[in-house]
Amino acid sequence: MARNIQSLERAAAMLRLLAGGERRLGLSDIAASLGLAKGTAHGILRTLQHEGFVEQDEASGRYQLGAELLRLGTTYLDVHELRARALVWTDDLARSSGESVYLGVLHHHGVLIVHHVFRPDDSRQVLEIGAMQPLHSTALGKVLSAYDPVAHSEAVETDRKAFTDRTVCDLDGFERILDVTRARGYAADVEETWEGVASIAAPIHDRRRMPVGAVGITGAVERVCPEGGLRHELIAAVRDCARAVSRDLGAGRF
């Protein structure tokens, strides 16, 4: 049986201690409550503070939970609510479009796929939940970069790799694409990430009108762009799906 890592157990116990009882605790209180030497407790606190999980009040020197821990907890809840609200609508989108449907959120300088509906045919397909996609070249990533300031900053600050000869990597060109995305309410990726593959995506907003994710379809270029341009009915279907999920999240009409 694998042994637990003691330092992680102590860090977890420290976070639970700070989450209950008094709002702020001093080093001596934390060390005594957990039966740790002050030096050991201070080292763990320093690491947690560096990662943003713990904050130290400058005036009193006492510790409290940090904003990063709150952000992670909120993200967990938001993603699960997003998936739950999107299940029916993404199934409908797959049936109406005949293509694969992806639901993505911002995560670690990329797009994390949190839900994937297979293309409704008998072809062999691989479930891609948990996969990461780039921000600058995919339709999902462009939508997040256009509407989410954090995603925009991450896309601008990271290297924009060329996946095909169609990938837009220069900053000015990328910003122009985002302007177009905001103006028309959707983004496209036509062989910018994968040869022979095209995608369309639109933003999903929550009750605060904040962007919380993106939904899109992906398929072969000859189906999504049969005559060199995106099929208008697919664009409409993706946007309708995004609006429906947004309404279910409390965003109202867009």
Side-chain angles (χ1 to χ4, degrees):
M1 182 176 178
R3 295 177 60 187
N4 292 338
I5 300 175
Q6 188 180 56
S7 59
L8 292 180
E9 289 182 329
R10 288 173 171 175
M14 201 168 285
L15 292 173
R16 292 191 186 97
L17 178 65
L18 290 171
E22 297 182 29
R23 178 174 171 78
R24 296 189 180 98
L25 293 172
L27 174 59
S28 298
D29 298 323
I30 294 171
S33 296
L34 299 178
L36 300 174
K38 283 187 179 181
T40 301
H42 184 255
I44 296 172
L45 285 167
R46 188 170 62 245
T47 301
L48 292 172
Q49 185 178 0
H50 177 74
E51 296 298 328
F53 297 136
V54 165
E55 296 174 356
Q56 186 178 27
D57 181 64
E58 293 183 4
S60 66
R62 290 174 172 265
Y63 295 90
Q64 65 182 28
L65 294 180
E68 180 65 12
L69 196 64
L70 177 62
R71 187 189 70 81
L72 289 177
T74 302
T75 300
Y76 175 83
L77 293 174
D78 285 349
V79 167
H80 280 261
E81 183 181 6
L82 175 62
R83 288 188 69 247
R85 299 291 186 180
L87 290 177
V88 172
W89 300 112
T90 51
D91 283 348
D92 287 347
L93 178 59
R95 282 193 294 269
S96 65
S97 68
E99 303 294 350
S100 301
V101 177
Y102 294 89
L103 187 68
V105 298
L106 177 66
H107 182 71
H108 287 316
H109 305 281
V111 183
L112 174 66
I113 303 303
V114 297
H115 186 55
H116 174 199
V117 183
F118 283 165
R119 185 171 61 255
D121 59 20
D122 295 327
S123 63
R124 184 177 179 180
Q125 300 173 61
V126 177
L127 188 65
E128 295 187 42
I129 294 175
M132 292 291 293
Q133 294 186 4
L135 285 170
H136 69 285
S137 62
T138 62
L140 292 171
K142 293 176 190 177
V143 164
L144 292 174
S145 299
Y147 288 90
D148 185 338
V150 176
H152 178 263
S153 296
E154 293 186 358
V156 167
E157 293 169 1
T158 56
D159 291 334
R160 290 174 295 281
K161 176 183 176 181
F163 297 102
T164 73
D165 58 6
R166 292 173 176 262
T167 309
V168 177
C169 300
D170 67 285
L171 183 56
D172 288 342
F174 180 62
E175 292 287 10
R176 285 194 292 272
I177 288 174
L178 299 188
D179 287 340
V180 171
T181 298
R182 284 185 286 264
R184 64 189 185 183
Y186 71 92
D189 163 14
V190 181
E191 296 189 284
E192 294 176 50
T193 311
W194 302 281
E195 297 283 357
V197 177
S199 302
I200 304 168
I204 296 172
H205 297 79
D206 65 7
R207 60 185 60 87
R208 300 162 297 174
R209 297 296 183 98
M210 297 295 292
V212 293
V215 63
I217 62 167
T218 296
V221 171
E222 58 266 26
R223 295 195 303 269
V224 180
C225 311
E227 298 178 0
L230 298 171
R231 288 168 52 193
H232 295 297
E233 66 270 24
L234 292 182
I235 296 172
V238 170
R239 296 192 68 193
D240 286 346
C241 178
R243 283 192 287 260
V245 178
S246 297
R247 284 196 300 271
D248 278 3
L249 288 171
R253 297 185 63 84
F254 273 83

